[in-house]
Amino acid sequence: MFSEPEWPPPARRAAEALRRLVEADEVGGGLEAGSIRVGAAPGRVNLLGGHTDYNEGYVLPVAVNRYVACAVLETVPEGGGEDDASSLEFYGLDFDDRFTIELTRLGDLRADGEAFERLVGGQQYRWRRYVAGVVLEMDEAGMALPASQAVITGDVPIGSGLSSSAALEAAVYTALAPAGPATVEAALLCQRAENRWAGVPCGIMDQFASFMAQEGRVLFLDCRRLTYKNVRLPGGSAITVVDSGIRRELADGEYRKRRQEIESALGILRKVVGPLQSLRDLTPEVFAEVEDMLPLRLRRRVEHVVGAIARVPRGITHLALGEDGEFGKLLNECHRSLADLYDVSTAELDTIVSAASEVEGVLGARLTGAGFGGCCVVLHREGCEDELRSAVTAAFEAKFSPTLSFYHLHTASGARLLGGKETVQ
Ligand code: GLA
């Protein structure tokens, strides 16, 4: 029934699981015959830009064909009357965990931090925070939320730098707001959900990519103006993601610490350079004049950001001129800067990047996402996958014990709504 070949596997799994729940009548009384619809949203890798989004700079992510899917069936409250409580019930298939949000309590949940904490049940089930956060933000934005039963599942590796959290937010949003097309506002709403309710001070890159990316293209996003262009990737190129197996958590201190360091640096720089809204306003030339004012650690942080922002338009020029090799080199430059100046790489990620870069046909490699573990992205010519796998595995196993995973991925378009015609009787 949900076997449309173009549906990503998690979308089929979520819809099938929801249908089974309904058929088993596990969802309780009062189910209205209705249509299952599925919001499916992709993860992403970032080719250029790293920790540049919250500095109002540029980023260059690509959405990939790993998805989170949220299947939804609207329900009618028991008794069917207007006064009967209606709710949104979410089942997280991958966590075998479910929770219910009473729609009449959304205002209370927003106002009362403890009530929110009770709902999401501490840190054990972090997926609940992202889902509940999107629901609360949609309600605050005045969007109508239908009483529903929902099942969520995904195949974006969690905590690995492929942005499973933004894919989760975008999938939930898309499933619950079928009339709402993917918009910049939707991306901002999901970012707010993550900042406020999951406690992660992320920038806008991941949510924007999960909504607005286009298959076959990289998303050239200006994180200050929120304007973007979808730019063609080098012809005949392919993406392999190498997962170091080391998991990280963005809510951990290091990401937040980088943001605080940038704020401290801005405080010092403003006294010397005058008004600076963000590091976007600091050109490499002005930085060269004033860098000595900063203590060493902050100087290295700022040097990374200023260089990483400037690298993105250079990359776009190389792509436009068909200079694929030059474009690829910028990925490696970005990795070096993230490792040496921003201190967000690990010995494992460095080993993967340098081994991959030696392989013929590889255009460039770098860590993806925030760093501190997770994955590297390798941009390469089609056909060198086997060689890449054996070279990287050999170099890695000579030094480290965890097993690597290789994902050969395709580019994908942003969040979409599927189905809506299946009738559950
Ligand atoms: C995480 C955040 C993004 C961005 C990257 C680093 O993925 O969610 O906003 O800051 O790290 O580029």
Side-chain angles (χ1 to χ4, degrees), residues 76-262:
V76 286
E78 215 149 342
E82 272 195 6
D83 295 336
D84 291 302
S86 56
S87 59
L88 273 170
E89 196 181 325
F90 292 98
Y91 180 30
L93 209 55
D94 306 325
F95 310 103
D96 193 18
D97 176 47
R98 59 174 81 191
F99 75 110
T100 301
I101 306 178
E102 303 299 337
L103 288 171
T104 49
R105 290 195 56 224
L106 295 175
D108 299 344
L109 286 170
R110 260 200 310 277
D112 178 357
E114 283 179 16
F116 179 79
E117 285 304 316
R118 276 196 301 280
L119 175 77
V120 297
Q123 294 296 327
Q124 193 189 354
Y125 293 115
R126 284 198 54 82
W127 74 280
R128 292 187 185 189
R129 289 177 185 270
Y130 298 96
V131 172
V134 170
V135 169
L136 293 185
E137 290 297 324
M138 288 176 80
D139 180 59
E140 190 164 79
M143 301 174 74
L145 289 160
S148 306
Q149 169 79 14
V151 172
I152 296 172
T153 184
D155 61 7
V156 187
I158 294 172
S160 64
L162 298 190
S163 190
S164 58
S165 53
L168 171 58
E169 292 147 14
V172 170
Y173 179 96
T174 304
L176 293 178
T183 57
V184 174
E185 282 69 33
L188 286 167
L189 184 147
C190 288
Q191 182 200 15
R192 272 200 309 280
E194 182 151 346
N195 292 165
R196 285 175 73 185
W197 304 104
V200 180
C202 64
I204 187 64
M205 169 172 71
D206 304 345
Q207 291 78 9
F208 212 100
S210 195
F211 276 109
M212 311 303 259
Q214 257 179 35
E215 195 176 337
R217 306 205 167 218
V218 288
L219 180 78
F220 176 31
L221 170 64
D222 177 338
C223 299
R224 165 172 279 177
R225 299 191 176 85
L226 297 184
T227 50
Y228 66 101
K229 255 200 297 203
N230 284 296
V231 178
R232 203 174 287 282
L233 264 174
S237 65
I239 288 170
T240 293
V241 165
V242 186
D243 192 340
S244 70
I246 299 163
R247 292 292 173 252
R248 48 122 200 114
E249 177 56 73
L250 230 55
D252 281 358
E254 286 300 320
Y255 187 85
R256 189 178 295 278
K257 211 154 112 195
R258 293 299 176 284
R259 295 208 59 165
Q260 285 160 354
E261 286 168 343
I262 296 299

